[in-house]
Amino acid sequence: MKLKSFKIRNYRGILETELVLNGNPGSIYTLVGLNESGKTTILEALNNFSPDMDGIHAMAQEPLSSTPIESLAPKREKHNFNDDITIEAKVQMTGEEVQNLANECKSEAGFQIDADQFPLEFSVTRTHRFGNSDHQESITCRDLSPLIKKGRAKKFSEVDESSEEWQEIVRKIGHLFPRIVYFPTFLFEFPERIQVSEGESEIEGNEHFRQVIEDAPESLNDPLDLQTHIVDRVLRVEPDTPFVQWFQIWMQSDEREQVDAALIRLSQKISSEVFGRWQEVLGSDLNNKELVIEHRTEDGENGERIVYLMFKVKDGYSSFKISERSLGFRWFFCFLLFTRFFRGNERGGSIFLFDEPASNLHSKAQSRILDLLEVIADGKNDIIYSTHSHHLINPLWLETTFIVANGEPADTLKVADPETGMEDADIKAVPYRTFVGQHAEKGHYFQPIPDRLDVAPSKLEATHRGVFTEGKSDFYILNWYKKHHEPDLPLDFVPIGGATNGSALMSLYLGLCTDFVFLLDGDGAGDQAKSGYLENLPISQGHVVQLPEILGGKFKTIENAIGQDMRDAIGGKHGTSRTTKRHIQRAFSEALSGSNDLPPDELTIGNLETLCNALENRLNA
């Protein structure tokens, strides 16, 4: 199951906006905008649709949020709000999922679903209704009208929403729903201890941390259960004994050794994952560091025994609490703990929401976090993250990037009420390509992306040999080949955005003595651009090459290198037998930002291999 879009209305500073998630499963979506532009508000709205740390599915009748619902009302109407806050998700099921649903209802609940008439797309809407600024009710609506028959009925008929059959259908669909998991900033302030036994905790974010700690032991080769193998073992030892006497008994018990052994195994697993990834990101040796998990037991106010876990980092002979490490490490530790050990929904995947990830890490580490996001996505989990750092912009994900702006894209917001000075906030999430086309003059609203693509790289960035590509298609297709078929290819592809736009970047590379080659199309524009570069820049013939020089005269553009089998597969995705340049561009973009569902067409791969080998030889020469 996939969530195709979210439409948000009247949520705090959002009048109405829509986030269309049109990538493949496992896609990564970027929200780019200035500070106070509304990125966090959008993430919070998505989380409010299905706050899932408590395990409640999106199809459940009653929504749950840690934020008071009254605080979600628009500020501009706080004095007298008489409308609905709505968050609508468009849901898409596959034919296989519908058939499995029908089979389960028949075998487990004794009624049949008309699978042929069951809608593959429908919407689920969370509504918070207000009157006089007071919250009246919260409801969930679904435009779903399944046809069923039961008993000896011969015809399918509509089912009433109050019936047991309807509730059973909703419950089973809920198990397919992707879990929406939001990581607010406070979660990255790791508590000194985490309560893992039952009972109300005063530790901020304890339920979130406890959920992940419950998931982590299950990732071991020999899975452990937090409740069974740790909590229950502590609590079953002389539960009615005064604490001082209990502690003496506990220290001599076999249960203590069992708990210690379980925590050692868990510590080793988390150490391997966290410090292994940390070493990859920082590139430094962390052999002397390891994670140690300890348990503590205390008596609560009512005499109940409470079990806590404490996380420490052992560095040589010294031991530090997680809260005593650097801000960057605390963020990274929590980030990996919540993503790598989170079970999610095995049937429906998860949607991870990250607000300004890696903002406490230096620029090199931020860039490497992008690779880690791909590991987390893993072809099944969607990721939506916000940023205003150009180091966290991946040009391969521009087709799934949104510009977030609050009010008109100008330096100041409009004022709705001159008497009160209340800001007329109007948060919008606009697809990057659409926004740039409409507001090309408002560069400060999408500055992180031009920083990454259009501005010549700094002296520190222009250190690798580059292949400049004329258009987006070349950029996506060649990166797709490198990622999925030749990951060790020593070429970096740099999009220029037009045959005649390469002078500044070529001049910079020349000044830095960095090798490059500009790959141009074999059309008139390419001919003219090549002549101009050779005439006006101190470059050789080898610095500029046109596609026909490598692949032959019929290969005018990169699209000509795509074989018919690949074209047919791409056309099938779009329901057409006539595959256009736009279809090809979109298909390769999605195969880069999400799961790769393009077939291994030998002709296409052969052409791209020939092209890349020739480009590498040019650079070597």
Side-chain angles (χ1 to χ4, degrees):
M1 178 181 287
K2 178 175 175 57
L3 301 185
K4 294 187 63 178
S5 67
F6 288 94
K7 184 177 291 186
I8 308 164
R9 179 175 171 270
N10 285 334
Y11 186 96
R12 289 182 170 166
I14 301 174
L15 291 177
E16 184 172 335
T17 194
E18 185 173 18
L19 211 66
V20 179
L21 310 181
N22 54 8
N24 292 330
S27 291
I28 300 175
Y29 301 87
T30 312
L31 305 181
V32 180
L34 301 177
N35 288 327
E36 302 298 322
S37 62
K39 303 185 297 295
T40 299
T41 302
I42 291 176
L43 294 178
E44 289 178 349
L46 301 184
N47 176 60
N48 188 269
F49 172 79
S50 180
D52 201 64
M53 274 301 183
D54 60 342
I56 292 181
H57 290 287
M59 293 295 284
Q61 184 64 33
E62 292 297 328
L64 182 67
S65 175
S66 57
T67 304
I69 293 179
E70 286 75 13
S71 69
L72 307 182
K75 293 288 186 182
R76 63 188 175 278
E77 298 183 43
K78 195 71 174 177
H79 62 291
N80 189 23
F81 182 53
N82 296 283
D83 204 342
D84 294 341
I85 298 173
T86 60
I87 306 165
E88 175 187 346
K90 189 71 69 175
V91 181
Q92 183 180 52
M93 295 181 66
T94 66
E96 181 180 2
E97 287 173 334
V98 170
Q99 189 58 56
N100 290 339
L101 172 67
N103 294 340
E104 290 179 8
C105 288
K106 183 177 180 179
S107 61
E108 299 174 10
F111 64 91
Q112 298 182 50
I113 293 178
D114 189 348
D116 294 333
Q117 299 299 320
F118 196 92
L120 294 181
E121 291 189 12
F122 58 93
S123 64
V124 179
T125 305
R126 297 288 202 195
T127 299
H128 302 302
R129 189 151 291 158
F130 282 75
N132 296 323
S133 294
D134 294 325
H135 175 240
Q136 304 295 321
E137 61 177 340
S138 294
I139 58 175
T140 301
C141 300
R142 315 164 189 85
D143 64 342
L144 182 64
S145 300
L147 302 177
I148 74 164
K149 64 179 180 180
K150 57 181 180 178
R152 298 182 178 181
K154 296 182 179 181
K155 294 183 178 181
F156 289 100
S157 59
E158 290 190 5
V159 57
D160 187 82
E161 292 189 17
S162 62
S163 67
E164 293 182 3
E165 290 79 16
W166 166 268
Q167 297 300 326
E168 182 68 13
I169 292 171
V170 166
R171 186 183 66 81
K172 290 185 179 299
I173 292 178
H175 291 308
L176 299 175
F177 235 82
R179 293 185 68 176
I180 300 177
V181 189
Y182 179 44
F183 298 96
T185 304
F186 79 85
L187 286 183
F188 301 116
E189 290 299 326
F190 200 85
E192 292 192 3
R193 60 183 186 175
I194 300 166
Q195 180 178 325
V196 292
S197 57
E198 295 296 332
E200 185 176 350
S201 175
E202 297 180 356
I203 302 171
E204 185 176 12
N206 191 83
E207 285 305 310
H208 297 78
F209 286 101
R210 187 180 191 277
Q211 176 70 59
V212 175
I213 294 173
E214 285 180 346
D215 293 344
E218 297 186 4
S219 66
L220 297 169
N221 293 332
D222 183 14
L224 296 174
D225 180 78
L226 177 68
Q227 186 68 34
T228 302
H229 296 107
I230 296 176
V231 177
D232 288 349
R233 284 171 172 169
V234 175
L235 299 182
R236 76 187 183 205
V237 174
E238 302 294 339
D240 299 324
T241 305
F243 184 81
V244 174
Q245 185 179 350
W246 171 87
F247 185 76
Q248 296 175 346
I249 298 172
W250 166 254
M251 293 300 294
Q252 304 298 321
S253 68
D254 186 58
E255 282 84 357
R256 182 186 67 82
E257 294 183 5
Q258 294 172 353
V259 170
D260 288 344
L263 291 178
I264 288 173
R265 293 197 59 227
L266 183 57
S267 300
Q268 291 172 340
K269 175 67 175 180
I270 298 179
S271 289
S272 174
E273 181 65 36
V274 172
F275 290 116
R277 297 289 181 184
W278 182 250
Q279 186 166 331
E280 289 178 10
V281 170
L282 291 186
S284 57
D285 188 0
L286 298 172
N287 290 333
N288 292 327
K289 291 184 175 63
E290 62 177 314
L291 182 72
V292 176
I293 304 178
E294 302 174 350
H295 62 88
R296 292 286 185 273
T297 304
E298 296 178 1
D299 276 358
E301 294 181 358
N302 299 321
E304 75 279 14
R305 210 136 279 166
I306 304 175
V307 183
Y308 301 93
L309 293 185
M310 302 175 65
F311 287 68
K312 296 182 178 180
V313 176
K314 185 178 180 183
D315 191 349
Y317 293 103
S318 302
S319 181
F320 303 89
K321 299 174 183 177
I322 298 294
S323 59
E324 295 174 330
R325 305 298 298 188
S326 69
L327 186 62
F329 178 81
R330 297 203 304 269
W331 179 89
F332 190 84
F333 180 82
C334 295
F335 175 77
L336 279 182
L337 190 67
F338 276 89
T339 55
R340 302 299 290 155
F341 296 104
F342 182 74
R343 279 185 309 221
N345 185 345
E346 295 181 359
R347 299 177 68 181
S350 301
I351 298 178
F352 291 109
L353 309 177
F354 299 116
D355 194 9
E356 299 286 354
S359 59
N360 297 311
L361 302 182
H362 61 74
S363 58
K364 182 179 179 180
Q366 287 184 4
S367 297
R368 290 183 174 176
I369 285 291
L370 297 177
D371 297 330
L372 190 53
L373 291 180
E374 289 191 302
V375 173
I376 296 168
D378 193 28
K380 61 180 181 180
N381 300 314
D382 285 348
I383 293 175
I384 303 175
Y385 75 98
S386 65
T387 188
H388 56 251
S389 169
H390 66 278
H391 298 291
L392 282 167
I393 302 295
N394 189 334
L396 301 179
W397 304 339
L398 285 185
E399 298 298 332
T400 54
T401 294
F402 296 85
I403 305 301
V404 179
N406 189 350
E408 293 295 319
D411 292 324
T412 58
L413 294 174
K414 295 183 295 184
V415 176
D417 189 342
E419 294 183 3
T420 63
M422 183 69 72
E423 293 177 345
D424 184 18
D426 184 11
I427 298 169
K428 297 285 187 185
V430 183
Y432 168 67
R433 300 298 181 191
T434 302
F435 191 96
V436 172
Q438 294 175 349
H439 305 287
E441 77 285 358
K442 306 295 184 183
H444 61 289
Y445 263 80
F446 49 89
Q447 195 61 47
I449 294 177
D451 279 350
R452 186 64 178 88
L453 295 181
D454 298 336
V455 176
S458 71
K459 216 169 187 179
L460 293 174
E461 292 173 316
T463 55
H464 299 291
R465 303 188 306 172
V467 175
F468 306 154
T469 63
E470 176 180 331
K472 292 185 292 184
S473 293
D474 311 66
F475 180 68
Y476 289 137
I477 292 171
L478 290 171
N479 271 293
W480 171 84
Y481 170 76
K482 177 179 179 178
K483 177 178 180 179
H484 295 294
H485 296 282
E486 198 171 348
D488 295 327
L489 184 68
L491 301 178
D492 287 335
F493 301 104
V494 183
I496 297 298
T500 60
N501 295 335
S503 295
L505 198 54
M506 283 194 281
S507 298
L508 178 67
Y509 271 64
L510 286 168
L512 297 174
C513 298
T514 304
D515 296 331
F516 69 87
V517 60
F518 194 169
L519 178 64
L520 292 165
D521 290 345
D523 53 12
D527 296 339
Q528 185 176 358
K530 180 177 180 180
S531 299
Y533 293 136
L534 291 172
E535 180 179 349
N536 298 314
L537 292 174
I539 60 175
S540 67
Q541 291 279 348
H543 281 104
V544 186
V545 61
Q546 292 179 270
L547 272 165
E549 297 177 43
I550 297 175
L551 297 179
K554 68 177 182 178
F555 294 90
K556 300 293 185 182
T557 66
I558 193 75
E559 288 83 7
N560 298 138
I562 307 303
Q564 192 58 48
D565 289 347
M566 183 78 79
R567 288 176 174 272
D568 291 342
I570 294 172
K573 291 181 61 177
H574 295 275
T576 179
S577 59
R578 183 175 177 273
T579 307
T580 66
K581 178 178 180 177
R582 184 176 180 181
H583 292 151
I584 293 173
Q585 188 180 104
R586 171 60 64 84
F588 280 94
S589 170
E590 290 180 349
L592 277 167
S593 62
S595 58
N596 177 33
D597 59 353
L598 296 177
D601 178 48
E602 293 184 4
L603 179 58
T604 301
I605 295 171
N607 288 334
L608 297 179
E609 181 181 11
T610 300
L611 177 58
C612 289
N613 287 342
L615 293 171
E616 186 178 359
N617 290 336
R618 287 227 172 195
L619 288 169
N620 291 337

